[in-house]
Amino acid sequence: MRGTASVAAVATVACLLAGWASAAAAADAAAPPETIVLKAAHVFDSTGTTLKDGGIVVVRGDRIVSVGGTTPPGARILDLGDATLLPGFIDAHTHLTLEFGKDYYRFMYDRIMRFPAEQALYGAQYARRTLEAGFTTVRNLGAYDFVDIGLRNAINAGVTAGPRLLTAVHGIGSPGGHFDNLSYPPDRVKPWGPIEGICSGPEQCREAVRYQMKWGADVIKIAPSGGVLSESDPVDVPQLTPEELAAIVSEAHKWNRKVAAHCHGDAAARLAIAAGVDSIEHGSFLTEDTLKLMKSKDVYLVPTRMAVYWTDKNADTYPPNIAAKARAAAAAHGNMFKSAMRIGVPIAFGTDAGVFPHGMNAMEFGLMTDLGMSPAAALLAGTRDAAKLLGEAADVGTLEAGKTADIVAVPGNVLTDIHATEHPVFVMHLGHIVVQKAAT
Ligand SMILES: [Zn+2]
Protein backbone atom coordinates (compact mmCIF):
# COMPACT_ATOMS: atom_id res chain seq x y z
CA MET A 1 0.00 0.00 0.00
CA ARG A 2 2.72 2.43 0.96
CA GLY A 3 5.41 0.66 -0.99
CA THR A 4 6.43 3.31 -3.53
CA ALA A 5 9.25 5.76 -2.99
CA SER A 6 7.03 8.76 -3.69
CA VAL A 7 4.43 7.74 -1.11
CA ALA A 8 7.15 7.07 1.46
CA ALA A 9 8.57 10.53 0.72
CA VAL A 10 5.16 12.10 1.25
CA ALA A 11 4.85 10.32 4.59
CA THR A 12 8.26 11.66 5.64
CA VAL A 13 7.34 15.21 4.65
CA ALA A 14 4.12 14.91 6.63
CA CYS A 15 6.15 13.74 9.60
CA LEU A 16 8.57 16.68 9.38
CA LEU A 17 6.16 19.44 8.43
CA ALA A 18 2.95 18.38 10.07
CA GLY A 19 4.46 16.28 12.83
CA TRP A 20 1.41 14.09 13.08
CA ALA A 21 2.25 10.97 11.11
CA SER A 22 3.45 8.36 13.56
CA ALA A 23 6.64 6.43 13.12
CA ALA A 24 4.48 3.51 12.04
CA ALA A 25 3.26 5.42 8.99
CA ALA A 26 6.78 6.05 7.72
CA ALA A 27 8.04 2.58 8.59
CA ASP A 28 8.86 -0.05 6.04
CA ALA A 29 5.54 -1.25 4.62
CA ALA A 30 6.80 -4.83 4.80
CA ALA A 31 7.10 -4.75 8.61
CA PRO A 32 3.97 -5.93 10.44
CA PRO A 33 2.17 -2.99 12.07
CA GLU A 34 2.70 -2.51 15.78
CA THR A 35 -0.06 -3.62 18.13
CA ILE A 36 -1.06 -0.85 20.54
CA VAL A 37 -3.23 -1.40 23.61
CA LEU A 38 -5.07 1.66 24.91
CA LYS A 39 -6.06 1.40 28.58
CA ALA A 40 -8.21 3.84 30.54
CA ALA A 41 -10.43 3.89 33.61
CA HIS A 42 -13.57 4.02 31.41
CA VAL A 43 -14.72 3.16 27.89
CA PHE A 44 -17.78 4.59 26.12
CA ASP A 45 -17.85 2.56 22.90
CA SER A 46 -21.05 4.16 21.45
CA THR A 47 -22.69 0.78 20.81
CA GLY A 48 -25.15 1.70 23.59
CA THR A 49 -25.61 4.21 26.37
CA THR A 50 -23.47 2.61 29.04
CA LEU A 51 -19.97 3.40 30.24
CA LYS A 52 -17.78 0.39 30.99
CA ASP A 53 -15.04 0.49 33.61
CA GLY A 54 -11.47 -0.63 33.11
CA GLY A 55 -11.62 -1.47 29.43
CA ILE A 56 -8.95 -1.77 26.77
CA VAL A 57 -8.97 -1.10 23.04
CA VAL A 58 -6.47 -3.02 20.90
CA VAL A 59 -5.29 -1.34 17.70
CA ARG A 60 -3.15 -2.68 14.86
CA GLY A 61 -2.28 -0.47 11.90
CA ASP A 62 -5.31 1.67 11.08
CA ARG A 63 -7.86 -0.77 12.55
CA ILE A 64 -9.39 -1.67 15.90
CA VAL A 65 -8.63 -5.33 16.58
CA SER A 66 -10.72 -5.78 19.72
CA VAL A 67 -12.46 -3.92 22.52
CA GLY A 68 -12.23 -5.46 25.99
CA GLY A 69 -10.60 -8.85 26.47
CA THR A 70 -6.97 -9.40 27.29
CA THR A 71 -3.75 -7.69 26.26
CA PRO A 72 -1.99 -9.54 23.43
CA PRO A 73 1.66 -10.44 24.12
CA GLY A 74 4.27 -8.02 22.77
CA ALA A 75 1.84 -5.11 22.44
CA ARG A 76 2.80 -1.54 23.31
CA ILE A 77 0.60 -0.45 26.21
CA LEU A 78 -0.56 3.14 26.55
CA ASP A 79 -2.18 3.62 29.95
CA LEU A 80 -4.22 6.83 29.83
CA GLY A 81 -5.19 6.58 33.51
CA ASP A 82 -8.36 8.27 34.78
CA ALA A 83 -9.88 8.98 31.38
CA THR A 84 -12.71 7.78 29.10
CA LEU A 85 -11.94 6.19 25.73
CA LEU A 86 -14.48 7.03 23.01
CA PRO A 87 -14.81 6.76 19.24
CA GLY A 88 -13.38 9.80 17.43
CA PHE A 89 -15.97 12.58 17.32
CA ILE A 90 -17.90 13.36 14.13
CA ASP A 91 -19.14 16.83 13.17
CA ALA A 92 -21.76 16.69 10.40
CA HIS A 93 -21.65 20.44 9.69
CA THR A 94 -18.42 22.38 9.34
CA HIS A 95 -16.83 24.95 7.02
CA LEU A 96 -13.15 24.04 7.30
CA THR A 97 -11.94 26.49 4.67
CA LEU A 98 -13.24 29.67 6.28
CA GLU A 99 -13.63 31.32 9.67
CA PHE A 100 -15.65 34.40 10.57
CA GLY A 101 -13.92 36.85 12.88
CA LYS A 102 -15.33 39.69 14.94
CA ASP A 103 -15.77 41.88 11.83
CA TYR A 104 -18.41 40.64 9.38
CA TYR A 105 -17.45 43.03 6.56
CA ARG A 106 -13.77 42.19 6.95
CA PHE A 107 -14.72 38.55 6.44
CA MET A 108 -16.74 39.37 3.30
CA TYR A 109 -13.80 41.39 1.96
CA ASP A 110 -11.30 38.59 2.66
CA ARG A 111 -13.60 36.11 0.92
CA ILE A 112 -13.10 38.00 -2.33
CA MET A 113 -9.49 39.09 -1.85
CA ARG A 114 -7.79 35.90 -0.63
CA PHE A 115 -6.28 33.76 -3.39
CA PRO A 116 -7.33 30.09 -3.37
CA ALA A 117 -3.81 29.03 -2.35
CA GLU A 118 -3.98 31.45 0.56
CA GLN A 119 -7.39 30.12 1.62
CA ALA A 120 -5.98 26.59 1.47
CA LEU A 121 -3.27 27.45 3.99
CA TYR A 122 -5.90 28.72 6.40
CA GLY A 123 -7.97 25.60 5.73
CA ALA A 124 -5.02 23.36 6.57
CA GLN A 125 -4.64 25.15 9.90
CA TYR A 126 -8.36 24.83 10.71
CA ALA A 127 -8.35 21.14 9.74
CA ARG A 128 -5.44 20.42 12.09
CA ARG A 129 -7.11 22.31 14.92
CA THR A 130 -10.31 20.31 14.38
CA LEU A 131 -8.50 16.99 14.43
CA GLU A 132 -6.56 17.92 17.57
CA ALA A 133 -9.92 18.73 19.21
CA GLY A 134 -10.87 15.07 18.77
CA PHE A 135 -12.93 15.32 15.56
CA THR A 136 -11.66 12.55 13.32
CA THR A 137 -14.45 12.79 10.70
CA VAL A 138 -16.21 15.94 9.55
CA ARG A 139 -18.63 16.88 6.82
CA ASN A 140 -17.80 20.15 5.08
CA LEU A 141 -21.00 21.83 3.94
CA GLY A 142 -19.98 24.48 1.47
CA ALA A 143 -16.74 26.15 0.41
CA TYR A 144 -15.46 28.54 -2.26
CA ASP A 145 -12.91 28.20 -5.07
CA PHE A 146 -12.66 24.37 -4.69
CA VAL A 147 -10.44 24.83 -1.65
CA ASP A 148 -12.33 22.05 0.17
CA ILE A 149 -11.56 19.53 -2.56
CA GLY A 150 -7.86 20.47 -2.45
CA LEU A 151 -7.83 20.21 1.34
CA ARG A 152 -9.55 16.80 1.35
CA ASN A 153 -7.18 15.41 -1.26
CA ALA A 154 -4.10 16.74 0.57
CA ILE A 155 -5.30 15.23 3.86
CA ASN A 156 -5.92 11.88 2.15
CA ALA A 157 -2.42 11.98 0.64
CA GLY A 158 -0.88 12.56 4.09
CA VAL A 159 0.48 15.98 3.09
CA THR A 160 -1.33 17.81 5.87
CA ALA A 161 -3.09 16.79 9.09
CA GLY A 162 -6.85 16.78 9.27
CA PRO A 163 -9.94 14.70 9.88
CA ARG A 164 -11.52 12.41 7.32
CA LEU A 165 -13.35 14.95 5.20
CA LEU A 166 -16.62 14.52 3.31
CA THR A 167 -17.16 17.69 1.37
CA ALA A 168 -19.85 19.44 -0.68
CA VAL A 169 -17.84 21.83 -2.93
CA HIS A 170 -20.26 24.78 -3.53
CA GLY A 171 -23.58 24.90 -1.71
CA ILE A 172 -26.54 25.03 -4.11
CA GLY A 173 -29.11 27.80 -3.85
CA SER A 174 -31.06 30.47 -5.67
CA PRO A 175 -29.82 33.82 -7.02
CA GLY A 176 -30.01 36.35 -4.20
CA GLY A 177 -30.48 33.56 -1.65
CA HIS A 178 -28.39 32.52 1.34
CA PHE A 179 -25.51 31.12 -0.75
CA ASP A 180 -25.51 34.06 -3.20
CA ASN A 181 -24.61 36.49 -0.49
CA LEU A 182 -22.09 38.79 -2.16
CA SER A 183 -24.14 41.90 -2.79
CA TYR A 184 -21.50 43.70 -4.86
CA PRO A 185 -22.76 45.22 -8.15
CA PRO A 186 -22.35 42.80 -11.08
CA ASP A 187 -19.72 44.95 -12.81
CA ARG A 188 -17.48 44.62 -9.70
CA VAL A 189 -17.85 40.92 -8.94
CA LYS A 190 -18.83 38.32 -11.55
CA PRO A 191 -22.36 37.00 -10.86
CA TRP A 192 -22.41 33.33 -9.91
CA GLY A 193 -24.04 30.52 -11.90
CA PRO A 194 -24.48 26.74 -11.68
CA ILE A 195 -20.71 26.14 -11.48
CA GLU A 196 -20.70 28.15 -8.22
CA GLY A 197 -23.93 26.43 -7.13
CA ILE A 198 -26.37 29.27 -7.96
CA CYS A 199 -29.27 28.17 -10.15
CA SER A 200 -32.79 29.02 -11.34
CA GLY A 201 -35.17 26.37 -12.59
CA PRO A 202 -34.90 22.59 -12.33
CA GLU A 203 -32.58 22.10 -15.30
CA GLN A 204 -30.04 24.64 -14.07
CA CYS A 205 -30.21 23.21 -10.55
CA ARG A 206 -29.64 19.71 -11.92
CA GLU A 207 -26.62 21.09 -13.76
CA ALA A 208 -25.34 22.69 -10.55
CA VAL A 209 -25.48 19.32 -8.76
CA ARG A 210 -23.72 17.59 -11.64
CA TYR A 211 -20.91 20.15 -11.55
CA GLN A 212 -20.32 19.71 -7.81
CA MET A 213 -20.24 15.91 -8.23
CA LYS A 214 -17.94 16.19 -11.25
CA TRP A 215 -15.39 17.96 -9.06
CA GLY A 216 -15.66 15.44 -6.27
CA ALA A 217 -18.54 16.37 -3.96
CA ASP A 218 -19.15 13.60 -1.39
CA VAL A 219 -22.41 15.23 -0.29
CA ILE A 220 -24.73 17.89 -1.74
CA LYS A 221 -25.56 20.95 0.35
CA ILE A 222 -28.56 23.08 -0.49
CA ALA A 223 -30.17 26.26 0.85
CA PRO A 224 -33.96 25.85 0.57
CA SER A 225 -34.42 28.59 3.19
CA GLY A 226 -32.91 31.96 4.02
CA GLY A 227 -30.00 32.17 6.43
CA VAL A 228 -28.61 34.23 9.28
CA LEU A 229 -25.18 35.29 7.99
CA SER A 230 -26.36 36.66 4.62
CA GLU A 231 -27.41 40.29 4.44
CA SER A 232 -30.23 40.55 1.96
CA ASP A 233 -32.55 37.58 2.54
CA PRO A 234 -35.22 36.97 5.21
CA VAL A 235 -34.10 34.05 7.42
CA ASP A 236 -37.25 31.92 7.17
CA VAL A 237 -38.52 32.14 3.57
CA PRO A 238 -38.32 29.35 0.94
CA GLN A 239 -35.65 29.99 -1.70
CA LEU A 240 -35.92 26.92 -3.93
CA THR A 241 -39.11 25.73 -5.67
CA PRO A 242 -40.47 22.16 -5.31
CA GLU A 243 -39.41 21.50 -8.93
CA GLU A 244 -35.86 22.70 -8.25
CA LEU A 245 -35.64 20.67 -5.03
CA ALA A 246 -36.90 17.53 -6.78
CA ALA A 247 -34.29 17.93 -9.53
CA ILE A 248 -31.46 18.45 -7.02
CA VAL A 249 -32.37 15.55 -4.74
CA SER A 250 -33.02 13.05 -7.55
CA GLU A 251 -29.73 13.90 -9.23
CA ALA A 252 -27.74 13.63 -5.98
CA HIS A 253 -29.40 10.38 -4.92
CA LYS A 254 -28.69 8.80 -8.31
CA TRP A 255 -25.01 9.15 -7.43
CA ASN A 256 -25.64 7.95 -3.86
CA ARG A 257 -24.87 11.39 -2.46
CA LYS A 258 -26.78 12.54 0.62
CA VAL A 259 -28.49 15.93 0.52
CA ALA A 260 -28.03 18.25 3.50
CA ALA A 261 -30.59 21.05 3.58
CA HIS A 262 -29.82 24.33 5.33
CA CYS A 263 -33.26 25.31 6.69
CA HIS A 264 -34.30 27.77 9.34
CA GLY A 265 -37.84 28.29 8.04
CA ASP A 266 -40.62 25.75 8.47
CA ALA A 267 -42.23 26.17 5.02
CA ALA A 268 -38.85 25.62 3.35
CA ALA A 269 -38.18 22.54 5.46
CA ARG A 270 -41.56 21.04 4.46
CA LEU A 271 -40.67 21.45 0.79
CA ALA A 272 -37.19 20.00 1.33
CA ILE A 273 -38.52 16.99 3.26
CA ALA A 274 -41.16 16.36 0.57
CA ALA A 275 -38.37 16.37 -2.02
CA GLY A 276 -36.50 13.68 -0.03
CA VAL A 277 -33.53 15.42 1.64
CA ASP A 278 -31.53 13.40 4.18
CA SER A 279 -31.03 16.06 6.85
CA ILE A 280 -32.31 19.44 7.95
CA GLU A 281 -29.47 21.65 9.19
CA HIS A 282 -30.20 24.28 11.90
CA GLY A 283 -34.04 23.95 11.90
CA SER A 284 -34.72 27.04 14.03
CA PHE A 285 -38.39 27.57 13.20
CA LEU A 286 -39.51 23.97 12.63
CA THR A 287 -43.01 23.22 13.94
CA GLU A 288 -43.99 20.04 15.75
CA ASP A 289 -45.82 18.78 12.65
CA THR A 290 -42.67 19.15 10.59
CA LEU A 291 -40.57 17.43 13.27
CA LYS A 292 -43.07 14.53 13.29
CA LEU A 293 -42.75 14.31 9.52
CA MET A 294 -38.97 14.13 9.89
CA LYS A 295 -39.28 11.33 12.44
CA SER A 296 -41.65 9.36 10.17
CA LYS A 297 -39.33 9.78 7.15
CA ASP A 298 -36.11 9.23 9.12
CA VAL A 299 -34.80 12.69 8.20
CA TYR A 300 -32.02 13.80 10.57
CA LEU A 301 -31.90 17.08 12.42
CA VAL A 302 -28.39 18.56 12.58
CA PRO A 303 -29.06 21.23 15.19
CA THR A 304 -25.86 23.36 15.10
CA ARG A 305 -26.54 24.70 18.61
CA MET A 306 -23.02 26.17 18.58
CA ALA A 307 -23.79 28.47 15.62
CA VAL A 308 -27.07 29.55 17.21
CA TYR A 309 -25.38 30.21 20.55
CA TRP A 310 -22.39 31.99 19.00
CA THR A 311 -24.27 34.31 16.61
CA ASP A 312 -26.72 35.24 19.38
CA LYS A 313 -23.95 35.88 21.93
CA ASN A 314 -22.01 38.02 19.42
CA ALA A 315 -25.06 39.59 17.73
CA ASP A 316 -23.77 43.12 18.45
CA THR A 317 -20.74 42.50 16.21
CA TYR A 318 -22.87 41.85 13.08
CA PRO A 319 -24.72 44.34 10.83
CA PRO A 320 -28.13 45.18 12.39
CA ASN A 321 -30.29 43.02 10.10
CA ILE A 322 -28.05 39.99 10.67
CA ALA A 323 -28.10 40.62 14.42
CA ALA A 324 -31.91 40.66 14.32
CA LYS A 325 -31.98 37.35 12.41
CA ALA A 326 -29.48 35.76 14.82
CA ARG A 327 -31.59 36.77 17.83
CA ALA A 328 -34.83 35.56 16.23
CA ALA A 329 -33.31 32.17 15.33
CA ALA A 330 -31.83 31.75 18.83
CA ALA A 331 -35.16 32.63 20.48
CA ALA A 332 -36.92 29.83 18.58
CA HIS A 333 -34.19 27.17 18.37
CA GLY A 334 -34.11 25.93 21.96
CA ASN A 335 -37.79 25.00 22.04
CA MET A 336 -37.54 23.40 18.61
CA PHE A 337 -34.64 21.25 19.86
CA LYS A 338 -36.59 20.16 22.94
CA SER A 339 -39.60 19.24 20.75
CA ALA A 340 -37.34 17.27 18.40
CA MET A 341 -35.98 15.25 21.35
CA ARG A 342 -39.46 14.59 22.74
CA ILE A 343 -40.80 13.52 19.33
CA GLY A 344 -37.76 11.31 18.73
CA VAL A 345 -36.37 12.92 15.57
CA PRO A 346 -32.98 11.36 14.74
CA ILE A 347 -30.32 13.89 15.75
CA ALA A 348 -26.78 14.04 14.39
CA PHE A 349 -24.14 16.27 15.95
CA GLY A 350 -23.17 19.29 13.85
CA THR A 351 -21.86 22.71 14.78
CA ASP A 352 -21.40 25.01 11.74
CA ALA A 353 -17.74 25.45 12.76
CA GLY A 354 -16.27 28.41 10.90
CA VAL A 355 -19.16 30.58 12.10
CA PHE A 356 -17.16 30.33 15.37
CA PRO A 357 -13.42 29.56 15.66
CA HIS A 358 -12.48 26.03 14.61
CA GLY A 359 -11.53 23.64 17.42
CA MET A 360 -14.41 24.62 19.73
CA ASN A 361 -16.71 21.99 18.17
CA ALA A 362 -17.05 19.89 21.34
CA MET A 363 -18.90 22.69 23.13
CA GLU A 364 -21.91 21.43 21.15
CA PHE A 365 -22.13 18.42 23.50
CA GLY A 366 -22.68 20.68 26.53
CA LEU A 367 -25.10 22.94 24.65
CA MET A 368 -27.25 19.89 23.86
CA THR A 369 -27.18 18.54 27.42
CA ASP A 370 -28.07 22.04 28.71
CA LEU A 371 -31.42 21.56 26.94
CA GLY A 372 -32.08 18.20 28.59
CA MET A 373 -30.39 15.70 26.31
CA SER A 374 -28.62 12.99 28.30
CA PRO A 375 -24.81 12.98 28.08
CA ALA A 376 -24.94 9.47 26.54
CA ALA A 377 -27.42 10.59 23.86
CA ALA A 378 -25.28 13.63 23.05
CA LEU A 379 -22.20 11.39 22.68
CA LEU A 380 -24.12 9.00 20.41
CA ALA A 381 -25.23 11.97 18.26
CA GLY A 382 -21.56 12.94 17.90
CA THR A 383 -20.32 9.44 17.06
CA ARG A 384 -22.60 6.54 16.03
CA ASP A 385 -25.56 8.59 14.81
CA ALA A 386 -23.53 11.15 12.86
CA ALA A 387 -21.73 8.22 11.21
CA LYS A 388 -25.11 6.83 10.12
CA LEU A 389 -26.19 10.15 8.60
CA LEU A 390 -22.88 10.40 6.74
CA GLY A 391 -23.22 6.84 5.42
CA GLU A 392 -19.95 5.94 7.15
CA ALA A 393 -21.27 3.71 9.94
CA ALA A 394 -19.55 0.60 8.61
CA ASP A 395 -16.20 2.25 9.21
CA VAL A 396 -16.44 4.82 12.03
CA GLY A 397 -18.69 5.95 14.89
CA THR A 398 -18.22 3.12 17.41
CA LEU A 399 -15.34 1.32 19.07
CA GLU A 400 -15.74 -2.17 17.60
CA ALA A 401 -13.43 -4.75 16.09
CA GLY A 402 -12.78 -4.03 12.41
CA LYS A 403 -13.57 -0.33 12.53
CA THR A 404 -11.08 2.43 11.77
CA ALA A 405 -8.77 3.27 14.68
CA ASP A 406 -10.22 6.74 15.30
CA ILE A 407 -10.13 7.01 19.10
CA VAL A 408 -10.35 9.85 21.59
CA ALA A 409 -9.72 9.94 25.35
CA VAL A 410 -11.09 12.68 27.61
CA PRO A 411 -10.28 13.22 31.30
CA GLY A 412 -12.32 11.43 33.98
CA ASN A 413 -15.80 9.98 33.52
CA VAL A 414 -17.38 11.61 30.45
CA LEU A 415 -20.94 10.84 31.58
CA THR A 416 -20.49 12.85 34.80
CA ASP A 417 -18.69 15.73 33.03
CA ILE A 418 -19.67 16.18 29.36
CA HIS A 419 -17.37 19.24 29.16
CA ALA A 420 -14.42 16.84 29.37
CA THR A 421 -14.99 16.39 25.62
CA GLU A 422 -13.62 19.93 25.17
CA HIS A 423 -10.19 18.84 26.49
CA PRO A 424 -9.15 15.56 24.89
CA VAL A 425 -5.95 14.12 26.35
CA PHE A 426 -5.48 11.63 23.52
CA VAL A 427 -6.48 11.59 19.85
CA MET A 428 -5.75 8.74 17.43
CA HIS A 429 -6.71 8.99 13.75
CA LEU A 430 -6.28 6.06 11.33
CA GLY A 431 -4.06 4.45 13.97
CA HIS A 432 -1.73 7.46 14.20
CA ILE A 433 -1.37 9.27 17.52
CA VAL A 434 -2.23 12.94 16.96
CA VAL A 435 -2.52 14.14 20.59
CA GLN A 436 -1.09 12.46 23.67
CA LYS A 437 -1.15 14.46 26.87
CA ALA A 438 -1.64 11.72 29.47
CA ALA A 439 1.21 9.83 31.13
CA THR A 440 1.91 6.47 29.53
ZN1 LIG B 1 -23.11 26.04 7.61
Side-chain angles (χ1 to χ4, degrees):
M1 257 167 33
R2 289 186 173 264
T4 68
S6 61
V7 173
V10 166
T12 307
V13 168
C15 216
L16 292 173
L17 294 181
W20 73 287
S22 74
D28 180 0
E34 184 183 29
T35 300
I36 300 175
V37 173
L38 304 174
K39 289 178 71 170
H42 316 283
V43 178
F44 186 89
D45 63 20
S46 282
T47 62
T49 56
T50 54
L51 185 95
K52 294 168 191 121
D53 283 337
I56 64 166
V57 180
V58 181
V59 172
R60 192 175 304 125
D62 65 355
R63 294 280 139 186
I64 295 171
V65 176
S66 60
V67 180
T70 53
T71 298
R76 176 155 70 109
I77 298 169
L78 298 181
D79 189 345
L80 302 167
D82 183 21
T84 306
L85 288 165
L86 301 126
F89 303 137
I90 300 173
D91 190 332
H93 192 135
T94 68
H95 300 278
L96 273 189
T97 62
L98 53 89
E99 188 176 274
F100 281 85
K102 289 257 174 222
D103 184 338
Y104 179 83
Y105 289 121
R106 173 79 214 184
F107 171 82
M108 297 308 274
Y109 177 80
D110 285 344
R111 250 192 67 189
I112 293 297
M113 294 305 290
R114 280 185 189 156
F115 295 97
E118 192 179 357
Q119 294 177 47
L121 291 166
Y122 283 91
Q125 190 188 72
Y126 303 147
R128 169 191 286 275
R129 222 191 279 161
T130 303
L131 179 60
E132 288 175 350
F135 287 79
T136 50
T137 299
V138 308
R139 196 163 70 157
N140 201 69
L141 293 184
Y144 309 111
D145 301 322
F146 306 98
V147 174
D148 58 330
I149 289 293
L151 181 62
R152 181 198 63 190
N153 295 351
I155 290 170
N156 289 348
V159 172
T160 194
R164 170 197 297 234
L165 190 54
L166 280 73
T167 198
V169 198
H170 301 96
I172 294 171
S174 63
H178 180 53
F179 291 160
D180 190 26
N181 57 0
L182 288 176
S183 25
Y184 299 92
D187 58 337
R188 308 290 205 282
V189 173
K190 181 175 77 87
W192 282 357
I195 285 175
E196 295 87 5
I198 303 305
C199 55
S200 277
E203 284 318 305
Q204 232 183 40
C205 289
R206 195 182 293 279
E207 184 186 357
V209 175
R210 287 173 171 166
Y211 273 128
Q212 309 320 311
M213 296 194 299
K214 164 190 165 102
W215 291 306
D218 304 296
V219 54
I220 294 299
K221 167 78 177 295
I222 62 174
S225 124
V228 171
L229 291 173
S230 42
E231 256 201 301
S232 51
D233 59 334
V235 66
D236 57 349
V237 298
Q239 296 184 346
L240 290 169
T241 66
E243 294 75 20
E244 289 167 339
L245 287 163
I248 290 167
V249 174
S250 69
E251 200 62 23
H253 283 176
K254 270 188 229 161
W255 282 44
N256 291 323
R257 302 295 192 269
K258 303 273 184 131
V259 179
H262 156 105
C263 277
H264 289 281
D266 190 65
R270 300 286 288 211
L271 297 177
I273 295 162
V277 301
D278 300 282
S279 63
I280 298 289
E281 315 284 316
H282 318 302
S284 303
F285 304 105
L286 298 186
T287 60
E288 297 222 351
D289 282 351
T290 302
L291 292 165
K292 285 176 187 158
L293 195 62
M294 288 169 68
K295 155 106 174 145
S296 72
K297 296 187 124 191
D298 205 25
V299 176
Y300 277 75
L301 173 68
V302 179
T304 68
R305 289 289 307 158
M306 247 326 255
V308 174
Y309 159 82
W310 188 264
T311 52
D312 184 43
K313 183 167 94 95
N314 296 293
D316 289 343
T317 68
Y318 300 113
N321 54 342
I322 290 182
K325 292 199 286 182
R327 291 192 180 104
H333 195 276
N335 282 335
M336 181 283 300
F337 183 80
K338 287 181 190 169
S339 301
M341 278 193 294
R342 182 167 34 76
I343 289 165
V345 178
I347 294 175
F349 180 110
T351 63
D352 218 353
V355 167
F356 58 90
H358 292 280
M360 297 167 69
N361 315 52
M363 283 178 68
E364 182 85 13
F365 288 114
L367 291 174
M368 292 197 291
T369 59
D370 283 351
L371 290 177
M373 188 179 244
S374 72
L379 292 168
L380 290 176
T383 53
R384 183 192 69 184
D385 298 344
K388 280 188 199 160
L389 169 61
L390 269 53
E392 297 287 312
D395 213 31
V396 296
T398 59
L399 297 179
E400 290 180 282
K403 291 223 175 165
T404 299
D406 285 355
I407 303 166
V408 171
V410 305
N413 178 336
V414 73
L415 292 189
T416 56
D417 179 16
I418 195 71
H419 294 285
T421 53
E422 295 161 29
H423 312 286
V425 292
F426 179 85
V427 179
M428 174 179 271
H429 181 41
L430 301 167
H432 304 307
I433 296 169
V434 178
V435 172
Q436 188 176 1
K437 293 181 183 161
T440 56

